[in-house]
């Protein structure tokens, strides 16, 4: 694949950071967003161009406005060009 996406640890405790690793085989604009179980976007983690290689970011369990999210299942979606990948993670109290 042109891109890969990994999110860990899962499950994790609310308030702990979630590590998000992604890899690109070529220079591309990459968007990584977090969605709740209802399909509502809660956070944009990445929206920029990256060179080929491995990259990492961290989600602190907060929305774009800085509010902490509740426990539950969340989905990380990465888009770049025609490629899309989705991974899920569970936050527990």
């Amino acid at each position: 694949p042109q891109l890969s996406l990994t999110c860990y640890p899962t499950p994790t405790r609310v308030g702990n950071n979630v590590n998000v690793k992604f890899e690109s085989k070529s220079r591309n604009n990459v968007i990584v967003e977090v969605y709740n179980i209802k399909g509502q976007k809660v956070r944009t983690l990445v929206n920029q161009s990256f060179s080929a290689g491995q990259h990492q970011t961290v989600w602190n369990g907060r929305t774009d406005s800085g509010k902490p999210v509740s426990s539950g299942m969340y989905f990380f979606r990465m888009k770049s060009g025609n490629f899309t990948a989705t991974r899920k993670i569970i936050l527990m109290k």
Side-chain angles (χ1 to χ4, degrees):
Q2 290 297 314
L3 296 163
S4 64
L5 174 66
T6 306
C7 305
Y8 62 93
T10 188
T12 191
R13 299 266 179 220
V14 170
N16 289 355
N17 287 340
V18 176
N19 296 297
V20 181
K21 287 187 177 182
F22 53 97
E23 181 176 2
S24 175
K25 303 291 185 199
S26 62
R27 184 170 189 82
N28 272 318
N29 190 62
V30 176
I31 300 170
V32 179
E33 298 169 320
V34 183
Y35 290 84
N36 64 20
I37 193 75
K38 297 177 184 177
Q40 300 164 320
K41 184 175 74 164
V42 296
R43 182 81 183 261
T44 299
L45 297 177
V46 170
N47 186 0
Q48 68 186 68
S49 183
F50 285 92
S51 59
Q54 294 184 352
H55 306 280
Q56 180 173 333
T57 189
V58 174
W59 181 45
N60 61 2
R62 294 184 176 270
T63 65
D64 278 333
S65 62
K67 295 179 182 177
V69 299
S70 59
S71 59
M73 189 178 306
Y74 292 86
F75 297 90
F76 292 78
R77 185 174 72 180
M78 179 177 67
K79 296 187 294 187
S80 183
N82 294 328
F83 181 85
T84 302
T86 305
R87 303 289 181 266
K88 71 178 176 181
I89 196 159
I90 298 170
L91 295 181
M92 303 182 320
K93 289 199 177 219

